[in-house]
Amino acid sequence: MDISYIINELGEDREHYFNAVAPPIIQTSNFAFKKVEDMRRLFEDEYSGYIYSKGMNPTVDILRKKLAALDEAEDCLVFNSGSSAIFAAVLAHVKAGDHIVSVKKPYTWAQKLFNVILPRFGITTSYVDGTQVENFEKAIRPNTAIIYLESPNSWSFELQDLKAVATLARSHGIITICDNSYCTPLYQKPIALGIDIALQSATKYISGHSDVMAGVLTGSREMITKIFKSEYNTIGSGISPFNAWLLIRGLRTLPLRIQKVTENTRPVLDFLKAHPKVESVVFPFDEEFPQYILAKQQMKNACGLISFYLNVKKIEEVVTFCENLKHILMAVSWGSYESLIIPGCATVSPAEYDIGKASHRMLRLYVGLEDPEYIIRDLEQALNIT
Ligand SMILES: *Cc1c(COP(=O)(O)O)cnc(C)c1O
């Protein structure tokens, strides 16, 4: 399917809403029936129509169709955050006493789920170095229900060979879930590589404007329907019609924004690599990246996030650098129009600053849509003060 067709037309029935070019926001909690039989049919199967917006909603449906098609998946659910999408996908596939194999250091709140919430129900998680497929194989137990992946990781960018892990999991009857937030479906299609459920935080690139929180799950119709009928409706964390509408609007320019972020990332990367105050740079499409070959094979491209380490004598210099940036904002998240930075040292107290720890000298930069020269000038002036 053409990406332009998906983004501009798929799921939109303009004749149903006065031929308006932009779809309406169907801001309603409930839907009325004329016939008892029609209501009964929806009570029996909420998935088949509109009864209550916690389940299905026409504005959300337009978005679901587009996001499923972008992932080459049969179906899709959209949540009010990436974290709730993770929660539902995992919860739907475990029971008491099960075991999960997860790539090490997945997204923070996935770790919380694995380390704090699921152990209350006797569900344990083994973390593995995902750069070697054998590590997954060694960690599998008879009660392993899920292999949880995040490729690339959004801080250090380690990849997993998605096709190989999916094949391994399938041969053991284990469900695979992959967090694809870094790539979006434009740069990586986990479902096409054999992964059962692809997830992403739509708060990042899909929204693209730092004004919506949302999460996406895609997979087979059977799997998505199952999640809809239990976890999705029980947790009640579906996206609101207004936020779905904002994501449809975000999708219109997704390819253009990703293209510009990709073009911007390269000169910023080259600038950082050449600067004497920068010790090293980590980026999956950099030739020195340890998994460069796999990245090139598995991903169409890479953009946006760059991690780098400052060549400093004291962690306070990292603080000085961050606090002297004039345009790049110090803030969490990424994927929108504005460039952002997070220093690793913000996760520890100043009393714990340790120059020997690379993680304290580390910064994660998101390259936004600004003119790359504008971003570079800001980095340069702050590095010169440092
Ligand atoms: C942000 C993020 C999430 C969670 O998404 P929210 O929308 O913030 O809940 C999940 N995975 C990764 C890799 C993320 O960066």
Side-chain angles (χ1 to χ4, degrees), residues 99-381:
H99 173 248
I100 295 169
V101 177
S102 170
V103 64
K104 70 177 182 193
K105 292 190 280 170
Y107 175 66
T108 316
W109 297 97
Q111 290 183 46
K112 188 80 153 191
L113 175 61
F114 298 149
N115 297 345
V116 179
I117 298 178
L118 294 182
R120 301 209 300 251
F121 308 97
I123 299 161
T124 56
T125 300
S126 308
Y127 291 102
V128 300
D129 169 356
T131 59
Q132 307 298 324
V133 182
E134 308 85 82
N135 295 342
F136 289 99
E137 187 153 28
K138 282 185 220 145
I140 292 173
R141 298 180 192 163
N143 59 340
T144 303
I146 294 174
I147 295 184
Y148 187 89
L149 308 167
E150 183 180 320
S151 185
N153 171 293
S154 65
W155 287 86
S156 41
F157 315 120
E158 286 95 352
L159 315 183
Q160 300 99 58
D161 183 333
L162 297 184
K163 206 170 185 174
V165 178
T167 307
L168 169 73
R170 204 148 280 187
S171 72
H172 289 264
I174 299 168
I175 299 284
T176 44
I177 301 174
C178 179
D179 187 332
N180 195 37
S181 301
Y182 178 99
C183 280
T184 83
L186 265 55
Y187 281 172
Q188 180 168 269
K189 296 192 191 294
I191 302 282
L193 294 168
I195 296 294
D196 294 309
I197 297 181
L199 76 83
Q200 58 177 323
S201 165
T203 311
K204 316 290 164 54
Y205 286 116
I206 308 287
S207 152
H209 293 78
S210 292
D211 51 12
V212 187
M213 308 248 3
V216 186
L217 294 185
T218 56
S220 69
R221 167 105 354 111
E222 189 189 348
M223 223 170 238
I224 293 294
T225 315
K226 180 176 158 262
I227 297 173
F228 173 81
K229 288 184 175 169
S230 55
E231 288 76 15
Y232 183 83
N233 263 310
T234 307
I235 304 168
S237 54
I239 193 167
S240 69
F242 180 61
N243 280 351
W245 185 84
L246 283 172
L247 291 187
I248 294 167
R249 182 181 155 119
L251 277 180
R252 309 286 194 203
T253 56
L254 179 68
L256 201 62
R257 288 185 287 105
I258 293 272
Q259 185 190 337
K260 174 68 171 154
V261 171
T262 306
E263 284 166 15
N264 280 2
T265 304
R266 191 51 63 171
V268 174
L269 183 77
D270 291 342
F271 165 79
L272 289 171
K273 283 185 82 166
H275 200 285
K277 287 225 173 95
V278 177
E279 182 186 295
S280 63
V281 174
V282 190
F283 181 67
F285 263 44
D286 179 46
E287 282 177 26
E288 288 163 48
F289 184 71
Q291 294 175 288
Y292 176 68
I293 293 170
L294 177 62
K296 283 281 211 180
Q297 240 168 38
Q298 186 165 275
M299 294 154 58
K300 198 167 162 202
N301 214 327
C303 68
L305 296 176
I306 299 173
S307 287
F308 61 102
Y309 296 87
L310 284 189
N311 199 354
V312 288
K313 301 207 164 51
K314 295 191 310 248
I315 298 302
E316 284 73 10
E317 293 175 69
V318 179
V319 174
T320 304
F321 166 74
C322 287
E323 293 180 357
N324 277 289
L325 288 165
K326 290 188 166 65
H327 305 294
I328 298 169
L329 302 174
M330 196 172 10
V332 296
S333 198
W334 43 280
S336 289
Y337 58 91
E338 77 286 12
S339 292
L340 301 169
I341 201 156
I342 307 177
C345 67
T347 63
V348 292
S349 80
E352 295 169 296
Y353 283 172
D354 180 352
I355 194 68
K357 288 212 169 104
S359 62
H360 295 188
R361 280 178 280 125
M362 193 269 255
L363 294 136
R364 192 193 68 179
L365 175 69
Y366 166 69
V367 180
L369 296 174
E370 303 94 332
D371 187 337
E373 289 308 316
Y374 183 77
I375 302 167
I376 290 169
R377 272 203 308 277
D378 198 20
L379 290 168
E380 188 161 37
Q381 63 81 22

